[in-house]
Amino acid sequence: MTKRVDVEFESEGVTCRGWLFLADSPKKSPTVVLAGGWCYVREIVMPTYAKAFAEAGINALIFDYRNLGVSDGDNRQHLDPWAQIRDYQNAISFLERHESVDADRIGVWGISYSGGHALVLAATDPRVKSIVSQIPVVDGYENMRRAHGTMEYRRLWDLILADRKLRYEEPGKRLYLPHATADSESEVSSWPFPETVETFLKIKASEAPLYENRSTVESVDLLLNYDVGSFVKRIYNVPTLMIVAEGDDLTLWDLEINAFNAIPTPKKKLEILPHTTHMTLYSDKSKVEKAAAIARDWFVDTLGVAGG
């Protein structure tokens, strides 16, 4: 059985909490940090990956960002991508000091929004020795334009501007919107896909009770300025695996492939999963396990696990 321990660390004065899955090894082991995408909490699919890594000799830390799940933070359900990236960096700082961790062999795994974060971390944090970026968000502006379409995008902007006005006129107040909705014509959401709300509400009912189908409107405002394009060009020497779902029209597989092609390192690999969508990488256990095995093998090879 994989050993799982509760851990916590400080990130800019806020306590983040998570699970550390420990490899069965008497020596310090390579370690991968995992965090989730839009509104995710630690229970959402990530334990499957963490267990696969730990069974292969790699420690795995899953944590909730500030303001989400079991972590502290007064601005609940607020998603600031740059604060989330700093949470990742502080998770790495915590791991560097852990008795079971080889600080010279730390990797990062990310999915969807955090798939983009993994690319940024590969470009900006030399402590990161390998990454897996899975179905990543790479260009928030283009993603929102295409996901919402013209009329929904207009309504999204009306909501963003109303939130900006409210936050100026009544500091401390803010507007919220659903993570996803089943009826995008009548309700503005961040990700207007019925399969998204269906999948995540099922996961909430069975595995992740702290998941909330909402975020601050400002979270989308920040997403519109999120673009990893200037960062991927700086990934010169970090082994980078990108896992893409064939035909992904949620985070847009053409944008993902373009981002992959812009990475200059020769130590990169693109894995396109056939007959797979963005959401089946959450709802279909066999596809989750396949992606976990691919990521596991990548980290075994690139982080130098004994016997790998």
Side-chain angles (χ1 to χ4, degrees), residues 239-255:
T240 299
L241 170 65
M242 186 180 290
I243 300 175
V244 172
E246 180 184 33
D248 184 353
D249 58 358
L250 273 68
T251 52
L252 309 174
W253 75 319
D254 57 311
L255 297 185

Side-chain angles (χ1 to χ4, degrees), residues 3-194:
K3 183 179 180 182
R4 188 190 81 185
V5 296
D6 294 327
V7 297
E8 60 182 47
F9 60 91
E10 294 299 302
S11 185
E12 299 183 317
V14 179
T15 301
C16 292
R17 298 182 178 86
W19 290 320
L20 180 59
F21 293 75
L22 292 168
D24 184 13
S25 173
K27 300 179 181 179
K28 291 187 174 184
S29 300
T31 304
V32 172
V33 189
L34 307 88
W38 199 266
C39 294
Y40 295 16
V41 290
R42 60 185 176 176
E43 294 87 354
I44 295 177
V45 303
M46 290 181 283
T48 298
Y49 293 84
K51 290 174 185 176
F53 299 165
E55 289 168 0
I58 302 169
N59 301 321
L61 170 64
I62 306 172
F63 73 93
D64 283 341
Y65 301 116
R66 68 185 81 179
N67 301 317
L68 293 171
V70 294
S71 291
D72 290 347
D74 296 331
N75 200 0
R76 304 306 293 176
Q77 297 302 122
H78 180 60
L79 316 176
D80 180 335
W82 306 109
Q84 292 181 346
I85 288 166
R86 293 193 296 274
D87 290 345
Y88 259 110
Q89 290 173 326
N90 287 312
I92 293 170
S93 295
F94 162 74
L95 289 170
E96 286 183 305
R97 294 156 175 80
H98 196 282
E99 62 183 5
S100 298
V101 174
D102 183 342
D104 293 323
R105 293 188 290 164
I106 291 177
V108 164
W109 176 97
I111 187 170
S112 200
Y113 209 5
S114 65
H117 300 354
L119 294 166
V120 174
L121 288 158
T124 60
D125 196 324
R127 298 174 298 176
V128 175
K129 299 302 191 292
S130 179
I131 70 160
V132 172
S133 173
Q134 185 166 313
I135 50 174
V137 175
V138 296
D139 182 339
Y141 171 77
E142 183 67 19
N143 212 152
M144 289 292 96
R145 285 293 300 267
R146 285 167 56 177
H148 286 271
T150 299
M151 299 310 296
E152 285 182 21
Y153 189 66
R154 290 178 184 176
R155 292 191 290 129
L156 180 67
W157 261 107
D158 288 342
L159 190 59
I160 290 170
L161 293 176
D163 179 67
R164 289 182 183 178
K165 179 180 179 181
L166 175 65
R167 287 187 288 114
Y168 176 76
E169 294 177 345
E170 301 184 57
K173 292 188 176 181
R174 54 180 58 247
L175 299 177
Y176 293 82
L177 81 169
H179 171 187
T181 182
D183 184 3
S184 60
E185 291 186 6
S186 63
E187 184 177 37
V188 179
S189 67
S190 303
W191 298 90
F193 303 106

Side-chain angles (χ1 to χ4, degrees), residues 238-304:
V238 178
T240 299
L241 170 65
M242 186 180 290
I243 300 175
V244 172
E246 180 184 33
D248 184 353
D249 58 358
L250 273 68
T251 52
L252 309 174
W253 75 319
D254 57 311
L255 297 185
E256 293 166 347
I257 292 170
N258 288 341
F260 175 83
N261 289 335
I263 298 170
T265 182
K267 303 174 183 178
K268 66 179 181 178
K269 181 180 181 182
L270 177 65
E271 188 81 44
I272 298 178
L273 301 180
H275 312 297
T276 304
T277 68
H278 191 95
M279 292 315 302
T280 56
L281 282 170
Y282 303 92
S283 61
D284 187 326
K285 183 179 179 182
S286 66
K287 294 185 184 299
V288 175
E289 290 175 346
K290 180 179 180 180
I294 292 169
R296 174 202 65 207
D297 293 347
W298 179 259
F299 285 127
V300 166
D301 290 342
T302 58
L303 293 178

